[in-house]
Amino acid sequence: MSKRKLPTQKGLSRRAFLKTTGAAVSAGVVSGAAAELLNAQSTAKNKVAGPGEVPITLRVNGETHNLNVEPRVTLLDALRDRLDLTGAKKVCDRGTCGTCTVLVDGKAAYACSMLAIDAQGREILTIEGLAPEGELHPISAAFVENDAQQCGFCTPGFVMACKAYLDRNPNPTEAQAKKALGGNLCRCGTYIGVRAAVLDAAARMKGGR
Amino acid sequence: MRAYLPQFELITPTALEDALKLLAREPGQWEPFAGGTDLMVLLEAGKLAHQRFLNIWRLKELHGMEETRENVTLGALTTYTEVQKHETLQREFPLLCRAAAVTGSVATQNRGTLGGNIANASPAADSPPALLVYDAELELLSARGARWVRYAQFHKGYKQMDLAPDELIARIRLPRRANVAPGFSPASWGWHEYYSKVGTRSAQAISKVCFAGAAQMANGRIADIRIALGSVAPTVVRCAKTEEFLRAEEKLTPAAVQKAQEILAGEIAPIDDFRSTARYRRRVAQNLLGEFLGSAVR
Ligand SMILES: Cc1cc2nc3c(=O)[nH]c(=O)nc-3n(C[C@H](O)[C@H](O)[C@H](O)COP(=O)(O)OP(=O)(O)OC[C@H]3O[C@@H](n4cnc5c(N)ncnc54)[C@H](O)[C@@H]3O)c2cc1C
Ligand code: FES
Ligand code: FES
């Protein structure tokens, strides 16, 4: 099979970068053995983080937070334990139930399945940032009025998944709403109310927000 | 509750050459970390073998898609969400889009990557049967250079791959099935495509059986056919003997379909596990073949 060029990035062909690998290694703040690996000539690009705490910056609900976390800390733990944003819940802690759903750059993401350190440079939206203090976002209002919760533990996750979906698909059918929220589980079995709430919220959000 | 968590190091290079150099210096020490949807499950279960992770998400060369007359080439970091949105893939490689749409949930599709699905090497993964049907090729990259391998030859056994410890999967190449005219779709050349994932529910379920098939029909005859399955053997499998038999058949009679189903049973080796039984999987695989062939002649 023929060898082909990499998609060139700033004109760097594979051949070119293979030639330069010996010379142009850049390394930044490094620790442990990795420091020796990425020897010298620092341009602060490659940070080996950990195993100890590292300073990170997160953008959450429009605010900038500086904190120190170990690289193994998930975004969910950082939000809940460090930033006191406990709206995103921890249930399965492994990407199965959706209670921890937040928006990352406008897309639904499981906060339990993303490292906090890897969430840097992205806009994170949690349920706390959905509407100004004391107000209900139309999606939350639709959940209330359609009896879309019983214990309510799953609700923040559903609301955020719903927000991510409606932002891109303002006119869903019930079947589409069902599929869009397939990654969120409710032990109280409020799915019928949730589906009604999604359609209601879509209607409420027409023309704004 | 979270199990014991080993401490770990994470490096996030932005230059491909740096990532490859690190892998070359300490091969096997640094585990690539893509979308993390498989790795985070292991992390949270306290089952991660590695303690050092090479975050490849910022490597631009591993993102993006490229089209030429002959191929569509996808970066290994292409997410399921990106796959589903891509117009050329929708038109020419619909099975891959179908697979992406039934993988996990929306949140998993936003983060999970094709490269991760391949390298995780689960026999129950959902995109590999589609990749097998489309004769995909993989570009493997290391500081030593690049090589292309046929995906059909990539999985060597359960969780065994033709992937050296210093290599990354860089790109996935899908050969286009005919000279591409604008607006070309394989359907207009008689291609009929079929994908079915059988699991306990439609979201977040791991397949009990996953079937991908494409048949090119000409005057009620099979001119070409490709069949691949997941969850029925230690690796995903392309069923060459079944294909060969069907290509040689004059007409798809009920007897021919039955014979094909028997041959298929010989090409797979399902097991009993907590998700299903070998017997069920074999039977369902045969039924899906029947459904595929039935829908192709209709
Ligand atoms: C709730 C849930 C549901 C899921 N449902 C499905 C499903 O329905 N069907 C399905 O098939 N899968 C499913 N998965 C599994 C997973 O989402 C996919 O396998 C996904 O494609 C993995 O990609 P990733 O980028 O997240 O991989 P990661 O977790 O980052 O990596 C997985 C493995 O691949 C290696 N790797 C990743 N990229 C590369 C590369 N470019 N080169 C070399 N090695 C690499 C990593 O080192 C690691 O060993 C599910 C997972 C979860 C958590
Ligand atoms: S806690 Fe994140 S998906 Fe369950
Ligand atoms: S309302 Fe109780 S889990 Fe959903």
Side-chain angles (χ1 to χ4, degrees):
Chain A
M1 244 152 274
S2 68
K3 287 198 174 172
R4 297 161 68 243
K5 277 190 186 171
L6 273 178
T8 47
Q9 300 291 335
K10 294 184 215 136
L12 178 74
S13 70
R14 170 183 301 120
R15 190 167 300 280
F17 97 69
L18 286 176
K19 275 195 194 142
T20 58
T21 41
V25 175
S26 47
V29 181
V30 287
S31 69
E36 295 147 36
L37 288 177
L38 293 172
N39 49 8
Q41 288 165 34
S42 160
T43 58
K45 264 205 238 146
N46 297 316
K47 287 193 180 135
V48 175
E53 287 198 343
V54 288
I56 66 165
T57 304
L58 293 179
R59 287 277 301 165
V60 186
N61 301 333
E63 284 172 29
T64 302
H65 299 270
N66 296 310
L67 56 164
N68 293 314
V69 297
E70 292 168 41
R72 61 185 174 173
V73 170
T74 63
L75 174 60
L76 182 61
D77 285 344
L79 290 172
R80 292 179 55 85
D81 301 343
R82 302 298 183 84
L83 303 181
D84 265 348
L85 295 169
T86 54
K89 303 286 184 259
K90 176 143 94 171
V91 175
C92 69
D93 207 11
R94 57 191 60 172
T96 314
C97 73
T99 55
C100 65
T101 306
V102 297
L103 267 57
V104 175
D105 287 339
K107 288 187 189 162
Y110 296 145
C112 71
S113 297
M114 188 168 201
L115 296 172
I117 191 171
D118 206 21
Q120 293 187 93
R122 306 169 196 248
E123 286 295 327
I124 298 153
L125 183 71
T126 72
I127 187 99
E128 289 89 346
L130 199 53
E133 185 73 38
E135 283 178 36
L136 272 188
H137 186 275
I139 298 176
S140 309
F143 269 68
V144 173
E145 276 168 44
N146 289 276
D147 255 343
Q149 61 279 309
Q150 204 176 104
C151 75
F153 206 75
C154 65
T155 310
F158 267 105
V159 169
M160 296 312 284
C162 180
K163 157 92 176 145
Y165 180 69
L166 290 181
D167 282 350
R168 284 190 172 73
N169 309 275
N171 297 302
T173 63
E174 185 164 351
Q176 287 165 339
K178 184 176 167 188
K179 179 152 198 301
L181 300 187
N184 293 71
L185 298 182
C186 171
R187 280 206 80 173
C188 301
T190 59
Y191 297 105
I192 296 191
V194 168
R195 270 167 235 156
V198 178
L199 299 183
D200 185 16
R204 286 164 192 254
M205 287 165 75
K206 289 277 152 56
R209 244 176 136 143
Chain B
M1 280 301 282
R2 185 80 58 87
Y4 163 72
L5 270 188
Q7 296 201 317
F8 72 74
E9 287 179 83
L10 182 85
I11 183 167
T12 306
T14 49
L16 183 57
E17 59 197 87
D18 292 349
L20 296 179
K21 188 170 183 190
L22 190 64
L23 289 174
R25 291 268 188 96
E26 290 199 333
Q29 286 288 304
W30 295 86
E31 173 90 335
F33 194 104
T37 60
D38 277 313
L39 286 173
M40 291 300 283
V41 172
L42 295 175
L43 168 85
E44 284 155 352
K47 286 187 188 156
L48 266 185
H50 287 77
Q51 300 199 354
R52 306 170 101 192
F53 295 90
L54 172 68
N55 184 359
I56 57 177
W57 197 262
R58 308 272 153 101
L59 303 178
K60 291 188 222 80
E61 293 87 344
L62 271 52
H63 286 279
M65 311 199 190
E66 186 187 64
E67 290 178 35
T68 63
R69 269 174 66 83
E70 294 85 24
N71 304 297
V72 176
T73 307
L74 312 174
L77 293 174
T78 303
T79 65
Y80 296 108
T81 302
E82 288 165 347
V83 167
Q84 289 173 72
K85 280 200 202 130
H86 196 270
E87 274 179 33
T88 307
L89 294 180
Q90 287 167 3
R91 200 167 54 239
E92 295 184 37
F93 302 98
L95 300 176
L96 192 58
C97 298
R98 291 281 301 284
V102 298
T103 295
S105 64
V106 173
T108 309
Q109 290 164 16
N110 284 340
R111 277 291 277 175
T113 65
L114 286 181
N117 204 216
I118 293 168
N120 191 52
S122 163
D126 292 314
S127 58
L131 295 174
L132 284 177
V133 161
Y134 292 138
D135 290 330
E137 294 155 340
L138 305 181
E139 184 188 37
L140 309 177
L141 209 52
S142 69
R144 296 173 284 126
R147 63 188 178 112
W148 284 93
V149 298
R150 293 190 53 204
Y151 182 53
Q153 269 135 39
F154 181 71
H155 294 291
K156 298 295 183 196
Y158 181 69
K159 297 260 177 190
Q160 309 256 298
M161 290 168 275
D162 180 10
L163 181 71
D166 65 344
E167 281 179 321
L168 287 175
I169 300 173
R171 296 191 292 170
I172 301 147
R173 184 159 77 191
L174 303 170
R176 301 173 98 160
R177 270 171 287 178
N179 282 340
V180 193
F184 159 83
S185 117
S188 57
W189 293 69
W191 281 97
H192 171 79
E193 317 213 5
Y194 173 94
Y195 185 91
S196 184
K197 167 176 173 172
V198 177
T200 38
R201 63 187 284 257
S202 51
Q204 300 288 46
I206 294 177
S207 297
K208 295 169 195 261
V209 180
C210 173
F211 187 108
Q216 190 178 29
M217 306 301 292
N219 306 321
R221 271 205 58 182
I222 291 178
D224 196 0
I225 188 160
R226 300 140 176 222
I227 296 164
L229 284 100
S231 290
V232 293
T235 66
V236 282
V237 281
R238 176 95 181 247
C239 299
K241 287 181 189 144
T242 312
E243 291 176 4
E244 202 180 312
F245 167 78
L246 286 164
R247 241 178 254 126
E249 281 304 282
E250 267 303 313
K251 256 194 115 203
L252 266 185
T253 59
V257 172
Q258 201 183 343
K259 180 72 186 153
Q261 288 172 317
E262 281 165 28
I263 297 171
L264 183 81
E267 286 197 274
I268 60 180
I271 55 164
D272 290 340
D273 65 11
F274 62 93
R275 255 174 239 124
S276 189
T277 62
R279 214 172 129 224
Y280 176 88
R281 288 182 159 118
R282 188 173 297 110
R283 184 59 189 268
V284 169
Q286 292 177 310
N287 289 351
L288 293 177
L289 176 63
E291 189 171 84
F292 164 48
L293 295 175
S295 63
V297 291
R298 212 169 291 135

